[in-house]
Amino acid sequence: MTSAETEEKPPTVLEQMGGVSGMLYSSLPVLVFVIINFATKNLMAAIIGSLAAAVVIGVILAVRKGTIQPAISAVFGVGVAAFIAYKTGEAKGFFLFGIWQSVVYGSAFLLSIIVRRPLAGVIWTFLNGRDRSWRDDKASVRDYDIATFVWALVFFARFVVQRWLYDEDQVGWLAVARLGMGYPLMAIALLATVWAVRRADKRLKAAEEAEAKVKAEAEAEDVLARTADDLLTPDMDELKRVVDAESRDKSRD
Protein backbone atom coordinates (compact mmCIF):
# COMPACT_ATOMS: atom_id res chain seq x y z
CA MET A 1 0.00 0.00 0.00
CA THR A 2 1.44 3.36 -1.01
CA SER A 3 1.75 6.40 1.21
CA ALA A 4 -0.84 8.18 -0.91
CA GLU A 5 -3.34 5.40 -0.20
CA THR A 6 -2.63 5.39 3.52
CA GLU A 7 -2.79 9.18 3.81
CA GLU A 8 -5.82 10.19 5.81
CA LYS A 9 -8.34 12.09 3.76
CA PRO A 10 -9.49 15.46 5.12
CA PRO A 11 -13.05 15.43 6.48
CA THR A 12 -15.75 16.67 4.17
CA VAL A 13 -17.98 19.61 5.02
CA LEU A 14 -20.81 17.23 5.92
CA GLU A 15 -18.49 15.26 8.23
CA GLN A 16 -17.34 18.46 9.91
CA MET A 17 -20.98 19.26 10.59
CA GLY A 18 -21.37 15.86 12.25
CA GLY A 19 -22.88 14.06 9.28
CA VAL A 20 -26.60 13.66 8.66
CA SER A 21 -27.20 12.42 12.23
CA GLY A 22 -25.36 15.41 13.68
CA MET A 23 -27.46 17.79 11.63
CA LEU A 24 -30.64 16.09 12.84
CA TYR A 25 -29.44 16.09 16.45
CA SER A 26 -28.84 19.84 16.36
CA SER A 27 -32.49 20.37 15.35
CA LEU A 28 -33.98 18.41 18.26
CA PRO A 29 -33.76 21.15 20.95
CA VAL A 30 -36.00 23.40 18.83
CA LEU A 31 -38.59 20.63 18.47
CA VAL A 32 -38.44 19.91 22.19
CA PHE A 33 -38.98 23.58 23.02
CA VAL A 34 -42.01 23.92 20.75
CA ILE A 35 -43.61 20.62 21.85
CA ILE A 36 -43.22 21.31 25.58
CA ASN A 37 -44.36 24.91 25.24
CA PHE A 38 -47.43 23.82 23.23
CA ALA A 39 -48.29 20.98 25.60
CA THR A 40 -47.73 22.75 28.94
CA LYS A 41 -48.02 26.44 28.05
CA ASN A 42 -45.08 26.81 30.43
CA LEU A 43 -42.20 28.83 29.01
CA MET A 44 -39.72 27.86 31.72
CA ALA A 45 -40.43 24.15 31.24
CA ALA A 46 -39.86 24.54 27.50
CA ILE A 47 -36.57 26.36 28.10
CA ILE A 48 -35.32 23.71 30.52
CA GLY A 49 -36.44 20.92 28.21
CA SER A 50 -34.63 22.37 25.19
CA LEU A 51 -31.43 22.92 27.17
CA ALA A 52 -31.62 19.38 28.55
CA ALA A 53 -32.08 18.02 25.02
CA ALA A 54 -28.95 19.87 23.86
CA VAL A 55 -26.93 18.44 26.77
CA VAL A 56 -28.22 14.90 26.14
CA ILE A 57 -27.18 15.22 22.51
CA GLY A 58 -23.65 16.07 23.62
CA VAL A 59 -23.50 13.05 25.93
CA ILE A 60 -24.80 10.69 23.23
CA LEU A 61 -22.29 11.92 20.67
CA ALA A 62 -19.44 11.73 23.17
CA VAL A 63 -20.34 8.14 24.12
CA ARG A 64 -20.44 7.19 20.46
CA LYS A 65 -16.98 8.80 20.06
CA GLY A 66 -18.34 11.02 17.35
CA THR A 67 -17.89 14.74 16.89
CA ILE A 68 -19.55 16.91 19.51
CA GLN A 69 -19.49 20.03 17.33
CA PRO A 70 -23.25 19.87 16.61
CA ALA A 71 -23.91 19.55 20.35
CA ILE A 72 -21.68 22.51 21.18
CA SER A 73 -23.43 24.61 18.56
CA ALA A 74 -26.82 23.46 19.82
CA VAL A 75 -26.04 24.23 23.46
CA PHE A 76 -24.72 27.69 22.60
CA GLY A 77 -27.57 28.52 20.24
CA VAL A 78 -30.26 27.14 22.56
CA GLY A 79 -28.66 28.87 25.54
CA VAL A 80 -28.77 32.28 23.89
CA ALA A 81 -32.27 31.66 22.53
CA ALA A 82 -33.50 30.48 25.92
CA PHE A 83 -32.02 33.53 27.65
CA ILE A 84 -33.80 35.88 25.23
CA ALA A 85 -37.09 34.00 25.67
CA TYR A 86 -36.68 34.21 29.44
CA LYS A 87 -35.94 37.94 29.37
CA THR A 88 -38.82 38.74 27.00
CA GLY A 89 -41.20 36.37 28.76
CA GLU A 90 -42.54 35.17 25.41
CA ALA A 91 -42.05 31.85 23.63
CA LYS A 92 -41.46 33.59 20.32
CA GLY A 93 -38.40 35.22 21.85
CA PHE A 94 -36.73 31.81 21.56
CA PHE A 95 -36.45 32.41 17.80
CA LEU A 96 -35.33 36.05 17.91
CA PHE A 97 -31.61 35.26 18.07
CA GLY A 98 -31.79 33.06 14.97
CA ILE A 99 -33.79 35.69 13.09
CA TRP A 100 -31.21 38.43 13.60
CA GLN A 101 -28.39 35.94 13.14
CA SER A 102 -29.72 35.32 9.63
CA VAL A 103 -29.63 38.98 8.66
CA VAL A 104 -26.09 39.34 10.03
CA TYR A 105 -24.87 36.30 8.09
CA GLY A 106 -26.64 37.43 4.94
CA SER A 107 -25.05 40.88 5.19
CA ALA A 108 -21.60 39.34 5.74
CA PHE A 109 -21.93 37.17 2.63
CA LEU A 110 -23.16 40.12 0.58
CA LEU A 111 -20.34 42.37 1.82
CA SER A 112 -17.75 39.73 0.97
CA ILE A 113 -18.83 39.92 -2.68
CA ILE A 114 -18.39 43.69 -2.69
CA VAL A 115 -14.83 43.47 -1.27
CA ARG A 116 -13.96 40.66 -3.75
CA ARG A 117 -13.47 38.03 -1.06
CA PRO A 118 -16.56 35.80 -1.59
CA LEU A 119 -17.15 33.87 1.61
CA ALA A 120 -18.28 30.72 -0.21
CA GLY A 121 -14.75 30.34 -1.54
CA VAL A 122 -12.97 31.55 1.59
CA ILE A 123 -14.88 29.19 3.91
CA TRP A 124 -14.59 26.23 1.55
CA THR A 125 -10.84 26.79 1.26
CA PHE A 126 -10.50 26.96 5.05
CA LEU A 127 -12.60 23.86 5.77
CA ASN A 128 -10.92 21.69 3.15
CA GLY A 129 -7.35 22.92 3.39
CA ARG A 130 -7.24 24.14 -0.21
CA ASP A 131 -4.87 26.81 -1.53
CA ARG A 132 -6.11 30.27 -2.47
CA SER A 133 -4.96 30.27 -6.07
CA TRP A 134 -8.58 30.77 -7.19
CA ARG A 135 -8.42 34.36 -5.91
CA ASP A 136 -6.02 35.23 -8.75
CA ASP A 137 -8.47 33.97 -11.39
CA LYS A 138 -11.27 36.41 -12.21
CA ALA A 139 -13.57 33.72 -13.60
CA SER A 140 -13.20 31.61 -10.44
CA VAL A 141 -13.89 34.63 -8.24
CA ARG A 142 -17.03 35.27 -10.31
CA ASP A 143 -18.21 31.68 -9.78
CA TYR A 144 -17.67 31.98 -6.03
CA ASP A 145 -19.50 35.33 -6.11
CA ILE A 146 -22.54 33.52 -7.52
CA ALA A 147 -22.36 30.81 -4.83
CA THR A 148 -21.92 33.46 -2.14
CA PHE A 149 -24.95 35.37 -3.43
CA VAL A 150 -27.03 32.18 -3.14
CA TRP A 151 -25.97 31.91 0.51
CA ALA A 152 -26.93 35.55 1.06
CA LEU A 153 -30.36 34.93 -0.47
CA VAL A 154 -30.87 31.93 1.84
CA PHE A 155 -30.14 33.98 4.96
CA PHE A 156 -32.20 36.98 3.88
CA ALA A 157 -35.13 34.69 2.98
CA ARG A 158 -34.95 33.20 6.47
CA PHE A 159 -34.98 36.65 8.01
CA VAL A 160 -37.92 37.97 5.99
CA VAL A 161 -40.16 34.93 6.54
CA GLN A 162 -39.32 34.32 10.18
CA ARG A 163 -39.47 38.00 11.09
CA TRP A 164 -42.98 38.17 9.64
CA LEU A 165 -44.04 35.08 11.60
CA TYR A 166 -42.46 36.58 14.72
CA ASP A 167 -44.48 39.79 14.34
CA GLU A 168 -47.60 37.66 13.84
CA ASP A 169 -46.89 35.67 17.06
CA GLN A 170 -46.92 32.37 15.13
CA VAL A 171 -44.66 30.32 17.41
CA GLY A 172 -45.57 26.96 15.87
CA TRP A 173 -45.00 28.18 12.34
CA LEU A 174 -41.76 29.81 13.48
CA ALA A 175 -40.50 26.36 14.42
CA VAL A 176 -41.62 24.96 11.06
CA ALA A 177 -39.87 27.80 9.23
CA ARG A 178 -36.76 27.43 11.37
CA LEU A 179 -36.42 23.74 10.45
CA GLY A 180 -37.80 23.91 6.91
CA MET A 181 -35.62 26.87 5.94
CA GLY A 182 -32.61 25.43 7.71
CA TYR A 183 -30.75 22.50 6.24
CA PRO A 184 -32.92 22.14 3.10
CA LEU A 185 -32.02 25.67 1.97
CA MET A 186 -28.43 25.16 3.13
CA ALA A 187 -28.27 22.11 0.87
CA ILE A 188 -29.20 24.29 -2.12
CA ALA A 189 -26.54 26.85 -1.21
CA LEU A 190 -24.02 24.07 -0.69
CA LEU A 191 -24.79 22.71 -4.16
CA ALA A 192 -24.09 26.16 -5.58
CA THR A 193 -20.77 26.16 -3.72
CA VAL A 194 -19.84 22.70 -5.06
CA TRP A 195 -20.68 23.94 -8.57
CA ALA A 196 -18.34 26.89 -8.11
CA VAL A 197 -15.59 24.71 -6.64
CA ARG A 198 -15.69 22.23 -9.51
CA ARG A 199 -15.60 24.97 -12.14
CA ALA A 200 -12.75 26.76 -10.40
CA ASP A 201 -10.75 23.56 -9.87
CA LYS A 202 -11.22 22.52 -13.49
CA ARG A 203 -10.17 25.92 -14.76
CA LEU A 204 -7.13 26.15 -12.48
CA LYS A 205 -6.05 22.61 -13.35
CA ALA A 206 -6.23 23.43 -17.05
CA ALA A 207 -4.19 26.59 -16.45
CA GLU A 208 -1.56 24.62 -14.50
CA GLU A 209 -1.33 22.01 -17.25
CA ALA A 210 -0.97 24.72 -19.91
CA GLU A 211 1.73 26.42 -17.88
CA ALA A 212 3.57 23.13 -17.40
CA LYS A 213 3.32 22.44 -21.14
CA VAL A 214 4.75 25.85 -22.01
CA LYS A 215 7.56 25.36 -19.50
CA ALA A 216 8.38 21.90 -20.92
CA GLU A 217 8.41 23.27 -24.48
CA ALA A 218 10.70 26.11 -23.42
CA GLU A 219 13.08 23.68 -21.74
CA ALA A 220 13.07 21.44 -24.84
CA GLU A 221 13.83 24.43 -27.08
CA ASP A 222 16.68 25.42 -24.77
CA VAL A 223 18.17 21.91 -24.95
CA LEU A 224 17.89 21.89 -28.75
CA ALA A 225 19.50 25.32 -28.96
CA ARG A 226 22.42 24.22 -26.79
CA THR A 227 22.83 21.02 -28.84
CA ALA A 228 22.80 22.94 -32.12
CA ASP A 229 25.31 25.39 -30.72
CA ASP A 230 27.58 22.53 -29.69
CA LEU A 231 27.34 20.98 -33.14
CA LEU A 232 28.01 24.23 -34.98
CA THR A 233 30.78 25.48 -32.70
CA PRO A 234 34.12 23.80 -33.49
CA ASP A 235 36.11 22.12 -30.75
CA MET A 236 39.24 24.28 -30.71
CA ASP A 237 41.26 21.75 -28.72
CA GLU A 238 40.47 19.00 -31.19
CA LEU A 239 41.24 21.31 -34.11
CA LYS A 240 44.58 22.20 -32.58
CA ARG A 241 45.44 18.54 -32.16
CA VAL A 242 44.65 17.88 -35.82
CA VAL A 243 46.80 20.83 -36.97
CA ASP A 244 49.68 19.71 -34.75
CA ALA A 245 49.45 16.19 -36.13
CA GLU A 246 49.52 17.46 -39.68
CA SER A 247 52.53 19.65 -38.89
CA ARG A 248 54.42 16.71 -37.43
CA ASP A 249 53.62 14.60 -40.48
CA LYS A 250 54.95 17.35 -42.77
CA SER A 251 58.16 17.72 -40.74
CA ARG A 252 58.86 14.00 -41.05
CA ASP A 253 58.49 14.24 -44.80
Side-chain angles (χ1 to χ4, degrees):
M1 184 177 294
T2 64
S3 58
E5 292 174 338
T6 58
E7 184 179 357
E8 185 178 353
K9 294 182 179 180
T12 64
V13 176
L14 182 59
E15 290 171 343
Q16 294 173 22
M17 295 172 65
V20 175
S21 61
M23 295 167 62
L24 293 176
Y25 282 144
S26 63
S27 303
L28 289 179
V30 177
L31 287 175
V32 171
F33 176 86
V34 173
I35 292 173
I36 294 179
N37 182 72
F38 178 78
T40 66
K41 305 299 181 182
N42 188 317
L43 178 60
M44 186 57 64
I47 291 174
I48 295 174
S50 61
L51 287 172
V55 173
V56 170
I57 289 171
V59 173
I60 292 175
L61 293 177
V63 170
R64 293 175 56 187
K65 297 182 180 181
T67 175
I68 62 172
Q69 180 60 42
I72 294 175
S73 300
V75 171
F76 175 77
V78 171
V80 174
F83 177 76
I84 295 176
Y86 173 76
K87 294 298 290 184
T88 60
E90 297 179 310
K92 68 178 185 178
F94 185 84
F95 300 93
L96 193 58
F97 175 71
I99 292 173
W100 287 107
Q101 189 180 47
S102 293
V103 76
V104 169
Y105 286 168
S107 300
F109 274 83
L110 200 58
L111 180 62
S112 72
I113 298 175
I114 298 174
V115 300
R116 309 305 295 160
R117 294 292 185 274
L119 278 177
V122 173
I123 295 175
W124 184 275
T125 299
F126 173 75
L127 290 178
N128 294 277
R130 303 283 187 90
D131 59 48
R132 300 181 181 180
S133 56
W134 59 268
R135 288 172 53 177
D136 298 324
D137 182 64
K138 291 184 179 180
S140 296
V141 173
R142 181 198 61 218
D143 291 339
Y144 280 119
D145 281 342
I146 295 173
T148 300
F149 187 69
V150 173
W151 280 100
L153 287 179
V154 166
F155 287 117
F156 283 129
R158 287 182 185 177
F159 172 76
V160 171
V161 173
Q162 294 179 33
R163 179 67 192 187
W164 178 76
L165 292 172
Y166 178 88
D167 291 338
E168 295 295 320
D169 295 327
Q170 299 293 328
V171 178
W173 283 110
L174 267 173
V176 173
R178 170 78 172 267
L179 299 177
M181 302 184 75
Y183 292 121
L185 290 187
M186 282 182 62
I188 295 175
L190 188 57
L191 285 176
T193 303
V194 171
W195 168 82
V197 168
R198 289 181 175 176
R199 282 174 59 91
D201 285 352
K202 183 179 180 180
R203 188 180 298 109
L204 293 174
K205 183 178 180 181
E208 290 175 357
E209 291 176 349
E211 183 179 355
K213 183 178 180 181
V214 171
K215 184 177 180 180
E217 290 176 350
E219 290 176 351
E221 290 178 359
D222 185 54
V223 171
L224 289 174
R226 289 199 303 269
T227 303
D229 185 62
D230 291 341
L231 291 173
L232 295 175
T233 303
D235 189 334
M236 299 307 296
D237 292 336
E238 182 64 25
L239 182 60
K240 184 178 179 181
R241 284 193 295 270
V242 171
V243 172
D244 290 342
E246 289 180 353
S247 298
R248 286 194 295 272
D249 292 340
K250 289 179 180 181
S251 62
R252 291 193 191 98
D253 294 340

